[in-house]
Amino acid sequence: MTAHTPIKALDIAAIRSEFPILQREINGKPLVYLDNAASAQKPEAVIEALSNVYRHSYANVHRGLHTLANEATEAFEGARQKIADFLGAQNAAQIVLTRGATEAINLVANSFGQTLESGDEIILSQMEHHSNIIPWQLLAQRTGAVIRWCPVTQTGELDYDALMGLMSARTRLVAMVHMSNVLGTTNDASRIVKMARDNGAAVLLDGSQSAVHMPVNVTELGCDFFVFTGHKLYGPSGAGALYASGDWLDRLPPWQGGGEMIADVHEDHSTWADVPHKFEAGTPAIADVIGLGAAIDWVRRFDRIAVMEHERALLDRATQGVSAMPGIQLIGTAQDKGAILSFAMEGAHAHDLAQLLDKYGVAVRAGHHCAQPLMRRFGVDSTVRASFAIYNTADEVDVFLEALHKAKSFLI
């Protein structure tokens, strides 16, 4: 089996055996890890890649001439190429390596943002993660730019008619999540891009969830910027990427200054390195980026559609079971959604539910999920979120449902 022949028939038991942490017990119960939208667990291949860097070939990248520096640089730049291939970018120079999606969005806000003037408009949606809200609010405070908000329907879908109505000659950027971390809703990126193009605006897509749960080809999507983070993609924390189309990276000014991003430094001026290094100041997260490359290699072993179907079956099973329990409000019922299930229970706080589920070894996320505007849209202050990954099973869904039923009986 080659890297170019992805596996369509998923052997979930074999996949699970590659994740050491899944052998753990929590409170005397087998771990059922359903907090994947926050961060996924790591396969042995990623753990070994990190270990091998530090054990055998660690050195700072690029400028060294010795063997270790050359080995580290080759692996580091190899990971950049893997990311480009994974996202369907035309070349690796379109990939800026960052600490994650948050830093990537801040990079665009602080670089592209230097071209904005007072009164220019940025469109966001009510379903955005705080990482795709705060950088734009800070930018608006500095520049006088205006943020306009696209509403979300009762089923948790983007209101495309409202989005069209928000477009104007002053719209400079549409920054939206590709797949919601709370609702699981997959937004129609091509439709968003067309609307923006018709109005002369750029598009940034937050792919933190979509890059994990569905095939992504940024060239086909036509977006200007795409960000994702490695730790949700079975990779290390502290590594992610920004994709920029066309000549955006050449046109935009750098954000952070320091080593690595320069060509020449003089007392009265400096010039910048070629892209993408112009945007990569300082020593990067070398081992973590190499580990992200290993995670992408691991993910690409499996057919993406087969993984989607597996995760969707788990979501459908969980949704059916939760829907049958009285007093539970599902948050996000869009038809086209990823494997994320959020809900609120009448008379019970999400934190209490999560703590009780933990007693049965079930790990879920509880809170506002860094999406407080969305919580207010649905009239809740928090939800419980169960999110599924390639290594989860139907039996684990049943354990979750049984534990939820017991927790509900205890609290209400």
Side-chain angles (χ1 to χ4, degrees):
M1 185 68 64
T2 70
H4 301 290
T5 309
I7 301 168
K8 292 186 177 181
L10 303 180
D11 185 340
I12 304 303
I15 290 170
R16 288 178 62 83
S17 71
E18 298 185 52
F19 290 80
I21 200 169
L22 297 183
Q23 314 309 313
R24 275 202 65 177
E25 290 190 349
I26 303 294
N27 295 315
K29 307 287 186 181
L31 169 64
V32 176
Y33 187 79
L34 302 180
D35 194 20
N36 298 287
S39 201
Q41 297 300 340
K42 320 304 173 192
E44 195 67 55
V46 171
I47 297 169
E48 282 299 310
L50 287 168
S51 177
N52 285 337
V53 171
Y54 288 121
R55 289 181 183 276
H56 302 295
S57 59
Y58 178 79
N60 214 327
V61 291
H62 298 131
R63 292 171 302 280
L65 297 176
H66 56 82
T67 297
L68 293 184
N70 290 335
E71 289 177 353
T73 299
E74 182 178 359
F76 183 84
E77 290 300 328
R80 190 193 307 274
Q81 184 64 60
K82 291 174 184 178
I83 292 168
D85 293 342
F86 180 68
L87 295 180
Q90 292 178 327
N91 61 75
Q94 295 175 300
I95 304 298
V96 178
L97 298 170
T98 67
R99 291 182 299 164
T102 299
E103 184 175 72
I105 294 170
N106 274 275
L107 189 162
V108 177
N110 284 276
S111 185
F112 177 87
Q114 294 180 48
T115 69
L116 266 60
E117 300 176 353
S118 179
D120 285 344
E121 296 177 354
I122 302 163
I123 299 178
L124 308 178
S125 81
Q126 288 179 319
M127 67 175 75
E128 300 310 313
H129 190 282
H130 294 167
S131 294
N132 200 31
I133 296 175
I134 306 302
W136 308 115
Q137 290 181 335
L138 294 173
L139 176 63
Q141 291 170 11
R142 294 195 304 271
T143 64
V146 176
I147 296 175
R148 306 193 72 185
W149 291 89
C150 182
V152 171
T153 69
Q154 190 60 35
T155 59
E157 296 175 289
L158 196 66
D159 188 332
Y160 293 97
D161 290 337
L163 176 59
M164 179 63 78
L166 290 171
M167 298 284 182
S168 76
R170 296 307 303 266
T171 305
R172 294 291 308 281
L173 180 72
V174 179
M176 290 192 177
V177 68
H178 195 190
M179 178 185 291
S180 168
N181 72 306
V182 177
L183 307 168
T185 302
T186 303
N187 289 324
D188 188 340
S190 297
R191 188 175 179 183
I192 294 169
V193 168
K194 185 179 187 308
M195 287 186 194
R197 287 286 177 275
D198 290 344
N199 288 273
V203 175
L204 179 146
L205 295 177
D206 176 0
S208 297
Q209 301 295 334
S210 63
V212 182
H213 297 293
M214 59 187 284
V216 168
N217 187 305
V218 291
T219 302
E220 293 178 359
L221 290 176
C223 57
D224 299 274
F225 306 104
F226 186 94
V227 307
F228 84 102
T229 191
H231 68 94
K232 301 180 194 294
L233 191 67
Y234 311 103
S237 56
L242 163 70
Y243 157 83
S245 69
D247 63 348
W248 273 115
L249 295 181
D250 289 313
R251 292 159 52 195
L252 292 178
W255 168 34
Q256 294 179 324
E260 186 65 25
M261 52 78 66
I262 56 90
D264 288 295
V265 176
H266 302 271
E267 291 183 354
D268 59 348
H269 75 281
S270 297
T271 58
W272 315 132
D274 292 336
V275 298
H277 303 292
K278 180 173 77 170
F279 295 95
E280 296 177 354
T283 298
I286 299 166
D288 297 312
V289 168
I290 295 170
L292 175 53
I296 288 173
D297 284 341
W298 187 86
V299 167
R300 296 188 77 183
R301 287 169 47 196
F302 308 103
D303 182 80
R304 300 284 275 164
I305 301 302
V307 174
M308 282 181 65
E309 291 173 348
H310 167 68
E311 293 177 347
R312 182 63 196 229
L314 298 176
L315 174 66
D316 290 345
R317 189 182 187 96
T319 301
Q320 183 178 3
V322 172
S323 299
M325 299 184 190
I328 290 184
Q329 175 190 3
L330 296 181
I331 306 295
T333 56
Q335 290 298 308
D336 186 13
K337 61 177 289 181
I340 296 171
L341 176 63
S342 294
F343 59 92
M345 183 179 291
E346 183 180 351
H349 196 281
H351 291 169
D352 295 331
L353 272 174
Q355 287 183 313
L356 285 172
L357 290 174
D358 186 63
K359 299 296 183 183
Y360 300 98
V362 179
V364 296
R365 182 67 44 167
H368 54 64
H369 315 296
C370 293
Q372 287 181 304
L374 185 64
M375 295 294 110
R376 296 189 186 98
R377 160 64 183 85
F378 285 97
V380 297
D381 60 6
S382 61
T383 69
V384 174
R385 182 183 69 192
S387 49
F388 306 95
I390 188 173
Y391 44 63
N392 290 126
T393 67
D395 287 343
E396 288 185 315
V397 173
D398 293 342
V399 171
F400 157 67
L401 293 172
E402 183 179 357
L404 181 60
H405 178 75
K406 291 177 180 177
K408 183 175 184 293
S409 300
F410 181 83
L411 290 170
I412 301 176

